[in-house]
Amino acid sequence: MKIRLCPLFFILCHALTLKAQKDTEFWFVAPDITQGSYDYDRPTLFRVSTYDQAATVTISQPANTAFSSQTINLPANTSGKFEFPPQFAFVENDIPNQILNKGFLITSTTPITAYYEVIGGCMCNPEIFALKGQNAIGTRFYVPFQTFLDNSDAHTPTPYSAFDIVATQDGTKITILPTQDIVGHSANTSFTIQLNRGQTWSGRAASQLGNQHPSGTLVIADKPIAITIKDDLLVGGAQYGGFCRDLVGDQIVPVSNIGRKYVIQKGSLDGIEKIFVVGTEPGTNLWLNGSSQGIVSDGQTRSLDILSGSNFLLADKPVYVLQITGVGCETAGAVLPTVECTSGRSFRFVRPTTEDFWLFLVTQTGYQDFFTITSNGISHSVPGSDFTIVPGSGGNYVAAKIQLDETVVPTQKSILVENSAGWFQMGFLNGAPSATGARFGFFSDFIGAKEIDEHLEICLGDTLVWRNKPIFEAGTYEFTIPNKDLENCDTLVHTHVTVLPIKELDEFLNICMGDTVTWRGKALYKNGTYTFLAAAPNPNECDSLIHTYVNIVTLNEIHEYFTICEGDTIVVHGQAFYEKGTYDIALPSQHPEACDTLIHAHIFVEPYVKDEMTFNICAGESVIINGIPYSSSGFAVSDTIPSIFSCDTIRTYRINVFDPSVRFQPNEIEILLGLTETLHPIILATPPYQLFWSPQTGLDLSNPEAPIVSPTTTTGYEVLIVDSLGCKDSAWINVIVRDPMCSGKWYIPNVFSPNDDGVNDRFTVYTNAECVHKIAVLRIFDRWGSLVFEAKDFEPNNEYKGWDGYIGHKEAASAVYTYYCEFAQYDQKMVKLKGSVTLLR
């Protein structure tokens, strides 16, 4: 069985649980009021009131991060306020036809009532705007305006009428069809705007003339919005005497929350008051106090006179009713609640000023004797005799307009009005006959009677008892849902029934050969097609006719291949194998829908892998194998190398030690200057290898293993041997060069006479300059062994480099002195000489 309701049904359920203006969330956009010469538009405030529970109340502007949120904590049964300024620049929606960020959101932890009040610096253009909570939120509105009074042309900035919109969700698309020209848009031409959460837009009238106010303008949104109306500085003096200019305004409700029955009580204007009825459907008939008032269509506005007392308006289709009332010539206005869906039994408010105050009460006949008014902890009963039957209502409703003084309703105090027997509507009018102004608003339910469509689906062949009526075929059925809590608020439900056919589904079933399966209560074991009626898995779906196609499946045979290493064991499906071969294993199915499987396991055995690894090292080095150092030639241990991809490897390690050797024997030879000699290094090494000689001066390296040497001076030669592995050794040989022309080629005098006669005046060493180029040292000692002269590293044969016969700065005495001399020949042979020399003077 399937029963499915469309979303409209849930809208119905929600509508039946809507509250009055008591709520925990309120959206509002403050209209732009002309400042004029007397601060008509400021200060303003939000007034909030609690009931039997304390509340934490917060006010914010979701689209304006520059606005500082404010919070107040209120005890039960009290009132509080948010006052502007400060932050007044963020309050009014002051630019027409432009998207602003000035939407207010008021939230509370428990239900409260709230209204916005324009006080003004002169208190001469006041008004209250009763906030209606969720009842103000909707997607379809016809905007009501009065079309009787003009806006004043004697003030700056110029006052106008306007409607202001605030969005409650991001991406809200709004289509507007104005009935008169507004700023930026012509009459009867629709246009669209788009707002995000908390953003606002103002539709201001292009004219100040009352008959050109945009009453009946249609506003349709795809997401919930709220709308405020205002008519600024209405010229009431011409109609009601005096020179009054006053503000009219309210927060309106969507079409879903209006009705067909309204009670209107005349206020205290000095003259005929008016209501303005706006139609929402074509051909709507109107009656006032039982007298026909003609027809109004959707978007049209009809003005009706309110002469005195209480009055009853009846329409055969939902309409808006805007009442213009006031005190003296000072006007005020409010959108009226319908009496069809009223449920409130208590309302709390604050009296704004000490000026004249009237309470407007409407209730069902029989409830008028049960009213009390409480303030400052003192309760006052309202006499039932204050109420009169509303003409034209068939005696169903009574109403009272009661003027109250400060003893019952003190100014700026939290006032509670209650009825212990049943529902009622409540509003108040507060003002003075001239100069100051008037305030008018209703604190009541704004819930219209409901006519709802719902869609119901049932399955073919089923019978559903719906709202006590058996339904089994397609069609539209009407039901009335009575509401015990809301007066005259029964709901007419149009139920559209659709009959759904039974679904036919195909399914396919495999059965293993030889098995029997119980399927949907029937034993199946062979190929074929079987038909079943299957109950729906949940009550929101229809039963199904299922065609089951059975297929017999043969046993599965699978070949599996495994390779193991010699000496290893493998486990295949719970069985162990270690030898080569093919083995059959029966494998039961682990899934009830799968057949058993015959596994053919093919086992292959492979031997271990053997290899050898060689290490070549130089003498003195070692190689680490398995943590052990090895430094000699030969085989090291064998090792097993595990493998995850193939069989293990048995590896043997070979070590080759390379130790090349080179030396000379002897390591020193002598040759005569100008002759050559062949060097014969003794080489012990495995070819290939290389020999490197240093220095290469005096060498012929045509044969590096037997080079020919012919140095001009004594020279030491080194040979380096490097084999193919990079192992090295070296040897050194000294080649001494002898020059036979220089042997004994020197002369040292044995006497000299330093007397400056030019002969033998100095003592020095004389040699063959081609053999000796420098005297390393020459020392002179006296007979006692004291050093009296020393010269180093000087050229031979230069008398001025020798001894001049002085010791210090004194002439040495004539005597025999001892000398010591060292010098090296060009053949690098060092010559050391010593002897004596006689100094004569």
Side-chain angles (χ1 to χ4, degrees), residues 95-99 163 165 174-194 201-207 212 214 217-218:
I95 304 176
N97 195 35
Q98 183 170 321
I99 295 174
F163 59 96
I165 301 172
I174 304 170
T175 301
I176 301 170
L177 178 62
T179 56
Q180 299 287 344
D181 291 348
I182 61 176
V183 174
H185 302 279
S186 301
N188 302 314
T189 302
S190 65
F191 62 94
T192 299
I193 61 173
Q194 183 159 315
W201 182 88
S202 180
R204 193 182 76 185
S207 171
Q212 294 184 25
T217 292
L218 176 62

Side-chain angles (χ1 to χ4, degrees), residues 103 151 160 195 248 250 273 412 516 658 726 744 801 815:
N151 304 105
Y160 288 92
L195 303 179
V248 167
D250 202 359
E273 296 183 355
Q412 296 296 313
T516 298
F658 288 78
K801 296 295 184 179

Side-chain angles (χ1 to χ4, degrees), residues 180-238:
Q180 299 287 344
D181 291 348
I182 61 176
V183 174
H185 302 279
S186 301
N188 302 314
T189 302
S190 65
F191 62 94
T192 299
I193 61 173
Q194 183 159 315
L195 303 179
N196 287 328
R197 184 173 187 261
Q199 289 189 324
T200 57
W201 182 88
S202 180
R204 193 182 76 185
S207 171
Q208 292 182 286
L209 298 177
N211 60 9
Q212 294 184 25
H213 288 176
S215 184
T217 292
L218 176 62
V219 180
I220 299 176
D222 63 352
K223 296 176 184 178
I225 60 173
I227 299 180
T228 304
I229 59 171
K230 64 103 184 208
D231 228 335
D232 194 8
L233 286 170
L234 289 180
V235 181

Side-chain angles (χ1 to χ4, degrees), residues 672-685:
L672 296 177
L673 182 64
L675 298 182
T676 62
E677 185 67 50
T678 300
L679 301 181
H680 296 284
I682 301 172
I683 298 172
L684 297 176

Side-chain angles (χ1 to χ4, degrees), residues 352-399:
T353 72
T354 59
E355 297 169 328
D356 292 344
F357 183 90
W358 291 268
L359 199 64
F360 288 65
L361 297 174
V362 177
T363 188
Q364 183 176 328
T365 302
Y367 295 161
Q368 63 265 35
D369 294 319
F370 300 95
F371 281 97
T372 57
I373 302 173
T374 303
S375 63
N376 293 329
I378 301 174
S379 295
H380 301 270
S381 296
V382 178
S385 58
D386 289 347
F387 291 81
T388 59
I389 296 293
V390 178
S393 70
N396 291 324
Y397 304 105
V398 293

